[in-house]
Amino acid sequence: MFDDETRPAAATPRGATGQPGPVRPEQAPEESERLARAALTRIEEPGDELVGRWLAAHGACAVVAALSGSGPPLSGAGERRWAGLKLRAARARPHADLAAIAASGGRFVCPGDSEWPRQLDDLGQAAPFGLWLKGEPSLRLWALRSVAVVGARACTEYGAHCAAALGAGLAERGWTVVSGAAYGIDAAAHRGALAVRGPTAGVLACGADVAYPPGNQELIRAVGERGLLIAELPPGDHPTRSRFVLRNRVIAALTRGTVVVEAALRSGALVTARRALGLGRQLMGVPGPVTSGLSQGVHELLRGEATVVTDADEVIEQVGMVGELAPERRAPAVPRDALSPGAARVLEALPGRGTGELARIACSAGVPPGEVLARLHELRALGFVERDGECWQLTALGKGHPIG
């Protein structure tokens, strides 16, 4: 889970040889492990639990050695699966991938690095083999106070407005806004954070050096320059349908909570929501019009374990420290709020139209005439009533709605 523990930094290789083969025995153990994990990001798809079990049991170097044919084979994979993994292993060039990410101003981090977010370990055998990053900030530090804002790609104007407002509000308060850099809600959340020069991170379903979707190239570039781009896939890799689904588990695990803004009943955002719940993270939803199909998925979450939120303060109340409470909401004050109970009772006893005699007002209010007269003079001084001979009537101020 989330903590502030700092681990010793693992060495990060800066030299790029471009040599074939992922691991050489003469290399330092830390470098060999890093190279092996970098190779695995190209050999296998993200989140593969079989490879995760192999990693836990044997370590990355042994897994890559087995797949490269220089070590004993591993159990659990069928003949066809094993052959496919070996084909990919033969093409893995981790030195070249590390050189490519370094050339684009990025880096590769993996478990054991000081920058590795330990909450990703909650994914167990489906945890990333490592992460390819672009951007200056520390991923671990930014992730300690982070919230995912996700939702529909084909969002409405209402949804885009809500996501941008949440992104801006969270970023202004020092929370990292994490999303998937996709069209719609994702893009609006990132833009909201960028607009206030706040922290934001995009988790991609492709290489960190690939701007996808193409229509968000400028946005992704801005996130990479002013925030963080995060990818499980190595440089140059392109997205597939399954990779979009798989990256959602990283968004859910990386953050303290997930806010869903507009989602149909079949939506990738709901995959992130279910992952967040399964990992024990806070799940929140922004309600929308009951007539909108894009709100149906959110409303189903709200009928279950999700919490209603409408602004950044309410989100922070759910994910922040003890005492970080959203301000109490109050209706706007109106002049009648300042009246004493006795004066308010007499004011309500006056007729809404025309004038009323003192005796009739006293009867309606159930208050002795002498006290009613004193209250009427008080109300006249405040501008609520005026005198018309022996009668009294409401002014424009006095005719205002008693609760509005």
Side-chain angles (χ1 to χ4, degrees), residues 260 262-267 270 273 292-303 306:
V260 183
E262 287 198 324
L265 290 173
R266 286 178 58 87
S267 170
L270 300 187
S292 172
L294 287 174
S295 295
Q296 290 179 0
V298 181
H299 293 166
E300 282 297 308
L301 295 176
L302 294 175
R303 293 180 64 198

Side-chain angles (χ1 to χ4, degrees), residues 279-351:
L279 292 165
R281 309 297 196 258
Q282 292 289 335
L283 178 60
M284 297 151 280
V286 177
V290 297
T291 54
S292 172
L294 287 174
S295 295
Q296 290 179 0
V298 181
H299 293 166
E300 282 297 308
L301 295 176
L302 294 175
R303 293 180 64 198
E305 298 182 60
T307 302
V308 173
V309 291
T310 60
D311 61 21
D313 288 326
E314 292 177 354
V315 173
I316 294 170
E317 183 175 23
Q318 296 298 313
V319 299
M321 304 295 288
V322 174
E324 290 188 87
L325 302 177
E328 183 180 353
R329 297 185 182 275
R330 296 177 179 273
V334 296
R336 287 175 180 250
D337 294 340
L339 295 178
S340 66
R345 185 169 184 174
V346 170
L347 181 62
E348 292 172 5
L350 269 79

Side-chain angles (χ1 to χ4, degrees), residues 16-363:
T17 67
Q19 296 296 320
V23 179
R24 297 195 303 277
E26 68 271 17
Q27 291 164 336
E30 296 86 357
E31 184 180 358
S32 296
E33 179 75 9
R34 180 180 303 281
L35 284 169
R37 284 184 172 271
L40 284 173
T41 66
R42 193 168 287 283
I43 294 170
E44 186 49 287
E45 290 296 301
D48 184 87
E49 295 193 10
L50 174 59
V51 177
R53 289 196 295 273
W54 288 345
L55 278 173
H58 307 289
C61 291
V63 172
V64 174
L67 294 173
S68 303
S70 60
L74 304 173
S75 62
E79 183 177 342
R80 184 177 179 181
R81 174 81 184 280
W82 187 256
L85 290 172
K86 291 188 71 173
L87 279 174
R88 282 190 166 191
R91 295 198 301 267
R93 298 291 184 271
H95 290 90
D97 286 336
L98 290 169
I101 195 68
S104 66
R107 59 197 179 279
F108 179 69
V109 299
C110 56
D113 290 347
S114 61
E115 194 177 354
W116 182 257
R118 293 185 61 186
Q119 60 267 33
L120 290 179
D121 300 339
D122 292 348
L123 290 169
Q125 293 168 345
F129 310 136
L131 292 173
W132 303 86
L133 307 179
K134 284 188 68 176
E136 293 297 326
S138 164
L139 174 60
R140 186 185 71 83
L141 293 180
W142 267 28
L144 287 173
R145 282 172 59 89
S146 63
V147 178
V149 180
V150 298
R153 286 175 172 80
C155 67
T156 66
E157 185 177 345
Y158 164 82
H161 171 81
C162 290
L166 280 175
L170 289 165
E172 281 183 321
R173 291 158 178 80
W175 286 80
T176 303
V177 177
V178 178
S179 199
Y183 296 130
I185 296 300
D186 289 17
H190 288 306
R191 288 191 176 103
L194 291 171
V196 297
R197 302 185 178 276
T200 187
V203 182
L204 308 179
C206 53
D209 60 342
V210 178
Y212 189 92
N216 280 353
Q217 285 186 10
E218 287 302 311
L219 173 65
I220 293 170
R221 179 190 58 77
V223 173
E225 291 177 353
R226 295 160 55 186
L228 276 172
L229 293 175
I230 305 164
E232 289 186 83
L233 294 157
D237 247 11
H238 290 271
T240 63
R241 183 181 296 274
S242 63
R243 288 172 174 179
F244 282 112
V245 176
L246 290 167
R247 67 93 184 269
N248 291 342
R249 81 194 197 290
V250 176
I251 295 175
L254 190 65
T255 53
R256 289 189 175 271
T258 293
V259 185
V260 183
V261 184
E262 287 198 324
L265 290 173
R266 286 178 58 87
S267 170
L270 300 187
V271 175
T272 310
R274 287 190 286 270
R275 279 286 192 168
L277 274 179
L279 292 165
R281 309 297 196 258
Q282 292 289 335
L283 178 60
M284 297 151 280
V286 177
V290 297
T291 54
S292 172
L294 287 174
S295 295
Q296 290 179 0
V298 181
H299 293 166
E300 282 297 308
L301 295 176
L302 294 175
R303 293 180 64 198
E305 298 182 60
T307 302
V308 173
V309 291
T310 60
D311 61 21
D313 288 326
E314 292 177 354
V315 173
I316 294 170
E317 183 175 23
Q318 296 298 313
V319 299
M321 304 295 288
V322 174
E324 290 188 87
L325 302 177
E328 183 180 353
R329 297 185 182 275
R330 296 177 179 273
V334 296
R336 287 175 180 250
D337 294 340
L339 295 178
S340 66
R345 185 169 184 174
V346 170
L347 181 62
E348 292 172 5
L350 269 79
R353 293 181 179 179
T355 61
E357 297 177 349
L358 179 63
R360 182 179 175 184
I361 297 171
C363 181

